[in-house]
């Protein structure tokens, strides 16, 4: 069932409480895998999804990834305390492009160590990277013991592409899971990403998608 692959995402800095409530209700009705939201709404989402199997994923260091490791750790641990089941952190691309790979790996591994068995997704923002940088970023995620590589925040030049996902998949094979996100607006597009090897797909609410999700039941 495709719903098991889907993360319903609302990360706009203007997202209202009413929109988060709607997001949670729609995720509940369609039995989606999870919702992905900013940390300020985790406590609200926990109350709304308490009696469901829908997981809550909270962002950390979003959307630039340039926050200190210490602040990422604090934000991640606080989100988990308030009810998050998964953490979605953004890679520090400035350090990556500086070729300071040890610091990039330590940033990720420190967050992973701090949150233990909680799933950690690392957003590498593919639209800001060339092919070699995508390969290196993917390798660093493996070395740092992340659980997922995520393609995009949705706040940069573009979102997930089939080409980038294929590069990531060829690099990591089955050693880490992949989440495609950003500019994916239909179930048909989501299925294509699943077919080339992703384990999760991030979708943002829109009218056409809402109607398609309702038909999943």
């Amino acid at each position: 069932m495709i719903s098991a692959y889907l993360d319903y995402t609302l990360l706009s800095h203007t997202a209202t409480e009413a929109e988060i409530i709607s997001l949670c209700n729609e995720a509940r009705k369609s039995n989606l895998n999870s919702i992905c939201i900013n940390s300020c709404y985790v406590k609200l989402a926990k109350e709304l999804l308490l009696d469901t199997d829908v997981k809550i994923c909270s962002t950390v260091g979003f959307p630039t990834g340039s926050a200190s490791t210490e602040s990422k750790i604090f934000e991640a641990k606080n989100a988990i305390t308030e009810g998050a089941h998964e953490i979605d952190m953004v890679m520090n691309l400035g350090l990556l492009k500086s070729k300071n790979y040890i610091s990039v790996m330590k940033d990720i591994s420190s967050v992973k160590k701090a949150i233990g068995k909680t799933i950690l997704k690392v957003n590498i923002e593919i639209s800001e990277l060339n092919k070699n940088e995508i390969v290196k970023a993917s390798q660093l995620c493996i070395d740092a013991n992340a659980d997922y590589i995520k393609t995009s925040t949705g706040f940069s030049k573009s979102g997930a592409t089939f080409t980038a996902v294929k590069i990531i998949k060829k690099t990591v094979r089955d050693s880490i899971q992949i989440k495609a996100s950003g500019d994916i607006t239909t179930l048909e597009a989501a299925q294509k990403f699943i077919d080339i090897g992703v384990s999760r797909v991030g979708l943002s609410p829109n009218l056409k998608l809402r109607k398609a999700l309702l038909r999943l039941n």
Side-chain angles (χ1 to χ4, degrees), residues 141-201:
C141 288
I142 296 171
D143 293 342
N145 296 316
D147 299 288
Y148 277 81
I149 297 169
K150 183 178 174 183
T151 61
S152 320
T153 63
F155 282 74
S156 191
K157 301 169 188 174
S158 60
T161 66
F162 298 123
T163 298
V165 169
K166 288 176 181 177
I167 292 170
I168 295 169
K169 187 65 178 177
K170 184 177 180 181
T171 302
V172 306
R173 299 185 182 275
D174 295 321
S175 56
I176 191 172
Q177 298 188 80
I178 303 168
K179 176 177 174 178
S181 64
D183 298 338
I184 305 172
T185 59
T186 68
L187 293 183
E188 291 75 16
Q191 185 62 59
K192 289 179 182 178
F193 278 105
I194 293 166
D195 291 342
I196 61 174
V198 308
S199 301
R200 298 275 195 91
V201 180

Side-chain angles (χ1 to χ4, degrees), residues 37-67:
I37 55 176
N38 289 315
S39 58
C40 66
Y41 286 128
V42 168
K43 190 176 292 186
L44 172 62
K46 180 182 179 180
E47 295 174 2
L48 296 167
L49 297 171
L50 193 60
D51 58 345
T52 76
D53 293 325
V54 180
K55 294 184 286 292
I56 301 167
C57 179
S58 175
T59 57
V60 167
F62 190 85
T64 67
S66 54

